[in-house]
Amino acid sequence: MRYISTRGQAPILSFEEAMLTGLARDGGLYLPEIIPQMSRADIAALVGVSYEEAAYRIMQPYVGDTFTEDEFRAIIARAYAGFGHAARAPLKQLDSGHFLLELFHGPTLAFKDFAMQLIGQLFEASLKRSGKRVCIVGATSGDTGSAAIEAFRGLEAVDVFILYPHGRVSEVQRRQMSTPSEDNVHAIALDGHFDDCQARVKDMFNDFEFRDAVGLAGVNSINWARVLAQVVYYFTSAVSLGAPHRKVSFTVPTGNFGDIFAGYIAKRMGLPIDRLVVATNQNDILHRCLSTSEYKPDGVIPSISPSMDIQVSSNFERALFEAYDRDGAAVSQLMEELGAGAFNVSQGALQALRENYDSGRCDEDETRATIRDAYTRTGELLCPHGAVGVKVAEEQRDAATPMITLATAHPAKFPDAVETASGLHPPLPPAMSDLYEREERITRVANDLGAIETLIRERTGN
Ligand SMILES: *Cc1c(COP(=O)(O)O)cnc(C)c1O
């Protein structure tokens, strides 16, 4: 399988190259040149197979001959072995015709584990073969960093440095980053905001001398392998509800558009999905764009669903590329306009987007009310992100088609917001119940590129 960039100018890469590169050299995002198809018989044959077996069958055509069958199966097995539920992504019923896909049984209690755990194993297998070492550096507002640390801890060919804004992540998120004891894990508390962390990471990637010396690599949400890993649970959940013989719809709490774009890929592969609903919090740029055609960032307002507090939704570029019939020049033009403040999607592309995506928003009061109501009506304690999804799904679903809402994090990851809304303090799962007693290791640094680079060079011996 060959991978092409959404801006049409970067070299065509193999799966392995696209995975290790992340962002394309022309600033674009990689996508497979053709989308492999699953026939109705292929989909029907997923009934009753394990999550890992389904993952192998769905992802294999994208990975091609990068790994042998045994290698790739072993990678998948290791990726999901640490999940706290046999089904990996279990489906729960909320109401007649409304189901919740629980994506929070991974080691850091958020759906990002599905992609990050796989990518950790893919990197390790690939680097072992080449004898190379890489240094993963990432910025996080909480969930991505903990998922990355959990995925790479203890792996031989990788060091992982995560920059988070000092004092601005939840205690659970901080402890998930600071308590792993492996030497290759480095939780860095930066004196600044999340935007500062992101800016310093970008600076490091632009410092080519440093970048090459330490072997910098990125695993942010634009990495194609992350999107690919997320395609799997759209299939497994739809098959549980009768696909390919019955259509289902999905509502997805959305920020960077990576998760819902995986749903689009599943649909393009042949999964009978009726509607894909984008659910946003008060940072509703995606909902506004799909409603009006104008994409105009106007500043993030912090919310109780912080993992969706986004104004520049990186994976939306992939959806635009598809809506513009894979015209890289048109996408480049839009991104240039965005650099100057905003862009407008053409009428044709807007129509194409609306054929694939519906959208809705849920404000802070509605989020809290949904947590409260869902608990009263069903006994299910939702995290604020899942609650945004459930609220929008309730507004948009119809009686004819089952709706699956993605529950992207465990309520115990956002205990304060959940307690304020419901009066209940969500307990951590048993495997994590000693998180508050574990010893923390944190390095605090100034918001200064030189200081951060020196630290990374010292720790990696470069
Ligand atoms: C990252 C995240 C999201 C948003 O996912 P995208 O792929 O960025 O759209 C939603 N909920 C939680 C809990 C997350 O961590």
Side-chain angles (χ1 to χ4, degrees):
M1 176 71 71
R2 289 152 38 105
Y3 288 83
I4 57 171
S5 164
T6 50
R7 302 203 190 164
Q9 298 293 318
I12 291 173
L13 299 184
S14 69
F15 173 78
E16 190 171 18
E17 291 165 335
M19 168 187 92
L20 293 170
T21 305
L23 195 69
R25 280 173 181 274
D26 58 4
L29 283 64
Y30 276 103
L31 267 176
E33 194 169 40
I34 42 169
I35 310 249
Q37 296 299 300
M38 297 275 284
S39 68
R40 280 176 73 89
D42 293 337
I43 297 169
L46 295 176
V47 172
V49 309
S50 68
Y51 187 86
E52 285 81 352
E53 175 65 29
Y56 176 78
R57 294 187 200 173
I58 292 158
M59 295 192 291
Q60 205 289 323
Y62 293 92
V63 176
D65 58 6
T66 313
F67 302 103
T68 66
E69 175 172 348
D70 286 350
E71 278 171 343
F72 190 39
R73 284 185 182 279
I75 285 168
I76 293 169
R78 284 195 297 272
Y80 299 115
F83 278 52
H85 197 296
R88 309 311 183 214
L91 202 55
K92 242 189 191 171
Q93 189 158 9
L94 281 183
D95 202 342
S96 42
H98 192 182
F99 299 81
L100 197 67
L101 183 58
E102 291 188 347
L103 299 176
F104 50 69
H105 295 281
T108 71
L109 310 181
F111 87 95
K112 292 193 172 69
D113 287 326
F114 278 89
M116 223 38 117
Q117 287 290 318
L118 183 79
I119 222 174
Q121 297 301 329
L122 287 168
F123 264 63
E124 180 81 346
S126 162
L127 293 168
K128 260 195 181 145
R129 201 158 58 184
S130 65
K132 289 196 186 127
R133 247 194 110 71
V134 296
C135 177
I136 307 249
V137 177
T140 188
S141 57
D143 285 341
T144 302
S146 48
I149 283 179
E150 197 58 48
F152 289 102
R153 64 190 287 188
L155 298 186
E156 277 169 30
V158 182
D159 286 295
V160 54
F161 291 83
I162 299 295
L163 274 54
Y164 70 89
H166 177 69
R168 294 175 206 272
V169 298
S170 81
E171 186 172 1
V172 173
Q173 289 173 326
R174 187 192 73 232
R175 286 183 169 274
Q176 284 180 336
M177 294 189 276
S178 63
T179 58
S181 58
E182 289 84 354
D183 290 340
N184 72 329
V185 169
H186 312 269
I188 311 291
L190 184 132
D191 286 316
H193 292 266
F194 171 58
D195 288 342
D196 298 316
C197 297
Q198 246 183 334
R200 295 299 79 75
V201 169
K202 217 172 179 183
D203 292 344
M204 282 186 257
F205 274 91
N206 285 326
D207 179 349
F208 292 115
E209 201 269 305
F210 173 79
R211 177 177 174 165
D212 294 339
V214 302
L216 220 53
V219 291
N220 56 13
S221 77
I222 56 105
N223 195 304
W224 168 254
R226 285 188 57 181
V227 175
L228 177 59
Q230 293 161 4
V231 173
V232 176
Y233 49 68
Y234 285 90
F235 276 93
T236 58
S237 57
V239 165
S240 301
L241 292 183
H245 312 295
R246 183 162 73 152
K247 281 194 172 189
V248 297
S249 293
F250 289 91
T251 299
V252 187
T254 304
N256 260 327
F257 216 83
D259 202 1
I260 192 153
F261 190 75
Y264 165 82
I265 293 291
K267 185 173 180 176
R268 285 286 309 277
M269 288 177 76
L271 187 66
I273 294 176
D274 186 27
R275 300 166 68 205
L276 285 166
V277 184
V278 171
T280 73
N281 65 22
Q282 60 192 4
N283 295 294
D284 59 353
I285 187 162
L286 291 165
H287 175 54
R288 279 186 284 123
C289 179
L290 289 165
S291 310
T292 68
S293 87
E294 187 188 43
Y295 189 96
K296 187 171 187 222
D298 58 0
V300 169
I301 314 161
S303 79
I304 57 170
S305 44
S307 304
M308 294 153 61
D309 286 347
I310 277 168
Q311 286 287 321
V312 178
S313 178
S314 47
N315 281 287
F316 191 51
E317 180 167 339
R318 288 192 165 109
L320 290 169
F321 184 62
E322 294 289 280
Y324 278 85
D325 285 331
R326 300 198 152 203
D327 179 350
V331 172
S332 297
Q333 174 69 31
L334 293 179
M335 293 303 136
E336 214 162 283
E337 289 169 24
L338 181 60
F343 62 78
N344 269 288
V345 180
S346 72
Q347 280 311 306
L350 186 64
Q351 199 182 334
L353 283 170
R354 285 180 180 161
E355 273 165 25
N356 285 302
Y357 307 100
D358 295 277
S359 66
R361 94 193 276 274
C362 173
D363 68 24
E364 298 286 275
D365 287 340
E366 291 169 328
T367 307
R368 281 185 285 263
T370 304
I371 293 174
R372 199 160 45 239
D373 291 354
Y375 183 71
T376 311
R377 292 175 54 226
T378 70
E380 184 79 16
L381 204 48
L382 298 169
C383 105
H385 306 79
V388 166
V390 166
K391 165 76 181 162
V392 172
E394 287 295 347
E395 283 168 3
Q396 303 242 350
R397 72 196 183 91
D398 56 72
T401 315
M403 175 63 82
I404 299 174
T405 297
L406 275 53
T408 48
H410 192 287
K413 206 154 185 185
F414 302 93
D416 297 339
V418 172
E419 188 164 358
T420 304
S422 68
L424 275 123
H425 188 81
L428 285 165
M432 223 167 280
S433 57
D434 67 341
L435 186 67
Y436 289 93
E437 279 95 64
R438 293 182 205 159
E439 197 184 327
E440 291 192 83
R441 269 188 321 138
I442 298 170
T443 307
R444 191 150 164 201
V445 296
N447 179 17
D448 176 72
L449 181 64
I452 301 163
E453 290 188 346
T454 302
L455 174 81
I456 293 176
R457 281 181 187 270
E458 278 171 10
R459 293 274 177 91
T460 57
N462 286 298

